[in-house]
Amino acid sequence: MQLEQQLQIKTPTPLQRLDLGSQAEVWCKRDDLLHPYISGNKWRKLSPVIKQALRLQYKHIGSFGGAYSNHLHALGYVCYQLAITFTAIVRAHPNSSSTPMLDDLHRWGHDITFLSREEYKLRTDKHYTDRLCKSLGLDLLIPEGGSDGESLQGVASIIEEVCQQHQSFFDLIVLPVASGGTMAGLVKYLAENAFKTQVLGVAVLRGEGYLEQTVSDLLAQSGCEFDRAMHNWRILHDQAFHCGGYAKVSGALTEFQRSFFCEHNIALDKVYNAKSFFALKQLLSQNKLSKFHNIMILHTGGLQGEREKNV
Ligand SMILES: *Cc1c(COP(=O)(O)O)cnc(C)c1O
């Protein structure tokens, strides 16, 4: 707990009732309130590796992401607070204009290495990452999004908190899915502890098959018995919600994001949570979740990515 205190991370995050006009009870786990800089699910995923980095006295960490990445932002802030040198490996042209996220990394004194789209594709190639570690002098290279076998264990803390906060069990948990670590972490913990809860991931990008494979691979990497776990999760792939790709939006999505804030006073980022909350609202109103009575939606945070330069 000491590390969380040092970083001023506020857990447990609130679990709050959400009135979506449905028969089923809906509750929202507010991981967006976990910290002003460290995006909710990114801390959950990073906490095991950061604890390890401190234990092993790593001096220099690197990781991958885009120019708006919540993951690089969270990790950058943590490294800044803990005086660990950090190199962000960013998919962007060095001459492209900066973003509020990259400005923050600069302000925290971090190095940024820019990779072309082509080179960025090598980010999971072992030979390539070994070479990169050597040339940058890294003690540790964390994968994109912070999703790996170890990160799943950090995500389990969400369910542990919820068990303390809520008497009856949730029969459905809804969340957005991109690199899959958050979903895999929930699935693993629920399966291993014999919860009957179903997990519904909302794809925020076009990735039918690919996303399922990614979640399965992470479960296998973390030693989860895949066969037992696989019946408790599903990923929804729907153009109406992912809007055709990562960070793509539609008029309907933007309108939902705006009206949701007016009605509930909860801000949703457009890349992740606008899509998952929109999906939940639509599925409920279309009566497609009628077998569930007690639903939790995870607000994963991500609002830093919403800051725009004047465009
Ligand atoms: C990264 C991120 C996600 C996606 O989580 P994965 O574990 O990569 O699937 C969801 N919401 C927010 C706010 C994120 O930053």
Side-chain angles (χ1 to χ4, degrees):
M1 276 307 113
Q2 237 172 9
L3 175 60
E4 277 86 354
Q5 266 170 22
Q6 188 182 346
L7 295 170
Q8 297 189 307
I9 285 174
K10 290 209 205 86
T11 50
T13 57
L15 179 68
Q16 110 186 30
R17 184 73 200 272
L18 198 60
D19 184 0
L20 297 183
S22 60
Q23 269 192 341
E25 255 188 39
V26 180
W27 293 76
C28 179
K29 178 70 170 159
R30 298 289 307 273
D31 266 17
D32 56 315
L33 301 177
L34 184 139
H35 192 277
Y37 292 109
I38 307 172
S39 193
N41 71 331
K42 295 305 185 284
W43 169 252
R44 303 282 188 184
K45 292 197 281 182
L46 284 169
S47 62
V49 79
I50 295 299
K51 284 168 189 169
Q52 180 193 356
L54 290 173
R55 210 166 44 243
L56 301 177
Q57 302 188 330
Y58 289 156
K59 301 267 182 298
H60 190 176
I61 294 178
S63 191
F64 297 99
Y68 292 87
S69 168
N70 294 325
H71 162 67
L72 290 181
H73 194 253
L75 183 55
Y77 183 79
V78 169
C79 287
Y80 166 66
Q81 287 292 320
L82 300 175
I84 296 170
T85 304
F86 177 57
T87 298
I89 306 161
V90 177
R91 184 194 60 231
H93 192 276
N95 294 338
S96 56
S97 56
S98 190
T99 64
M101 197 289 286
L102 293 174
D103 291 346
D104 279 344
L105 293 182
H106 278 301
R107 200 154 52 79
W108 297 329
H110 298 318
D111 277 334
I112 300 175
T113 295
F114 291 98
L115 297 187
S116 67
R117 264 171 200 284
E118 283 312 304
E119 193 169 349
Y120 195 80
K121 286 186 186 147
L122 296 170
R123 69 192 178 279
T124 54
D125 178 306
K126 178 94 176 63
H127 291 292
Y128 176 76
T129 54
D130 282 350
R131 243 188 321 127
L132 202 58
C133 275
K134 218 175 247 168
S135 71
L136 295 172
L138 302 177
D139 298 317
L140 176 68
L141 181 56
I142 297 176
E144 181 182 54
S147 291
D148 57 16
E150 258 113 82
S151 63
L152 273 52
Q153 186 205 324
V155 174
S157 63
I158 297 173
I159 307 290
E160 288 168 351
E161 283 175 22
V162 168
C163 289
Q164 299 291 320
Q165 294 171 313
H166 199 70
Q167 305 305 327
S168 56
F169 87 101
F170 287 109
D171 44 21
L172 181 68
I173 296 180
V174 178
L175 80 160
V177 184
S179 71
T182 313
M183 178 161 198
L186 296 180
V187 166
K188 175 179 156 79
Y189 185 87
L190 292 167
E192 288 180 350
N193 292 280
F195 283 84
K196 293 201 184 75
T197 309
Q198 298 279 311
V199 181
L200 177 64
V202 177
V204 303
L205 46 92
R206 215 185 257 278
E208 197 154 1
Y210 159 80
L211 287 177
E212 281 79 1
Q213 191 58 51
T214 308
V215 173
S216 302
D217 289 348
L218 285 166
L219 287 168
Q221 260 179 52
S222 76
C224 185
E225 277 179 53
F226 174 62
D227 278 345
R228 214 167 40 133
M230 77 185 239
H231 299 292
N232 71 343
W233 61 277
R234 180 165 83 80
I235 298 176
L236 177 67
H237 301 272
D238 193 322
Q239 168 79 26
F241 308 131
H242 64 54
C243 304
Y246 186 76
K248 297 250 164 70
V249 296
S250 67
L253 184 80
T254 308
E255 173 51 25
F256 170 79
Q257 181 188 22
R258 194 196 59 77
S259 68
F260 189 87
F261 180 71
C262 290
E263 263 175 61
H264 302 280
N265 202 27
I266 297 176
L268 304 173
D269 75 295
K270 62 178 183 286
V271 179
Y272 299 102
N273 291 285
K275 294 182 177 180
S276 55
F277 279 69
F278 189 34
L280 174 60
K281 172 100 189 191
Q282 294 282 19
L283 294 175
L284 284 169
S285 67
Q286 295 161 0
N287 245 345
K288 287 188 178 151
L289 299 175
S290 52
K291 66 175 176 171
F292 300 107
H293 305 291
N294 217 342
I295 300 173
M296 184 186 104
I297 183 158
L298 177 65
H299 192 321
T300 51
L303 289 156
Q304 75 80 23
E306 208 70 345
R307 300 171 298 166
E308 280 292 347
K309 295 241 152 148
N310 294 331
V311 282

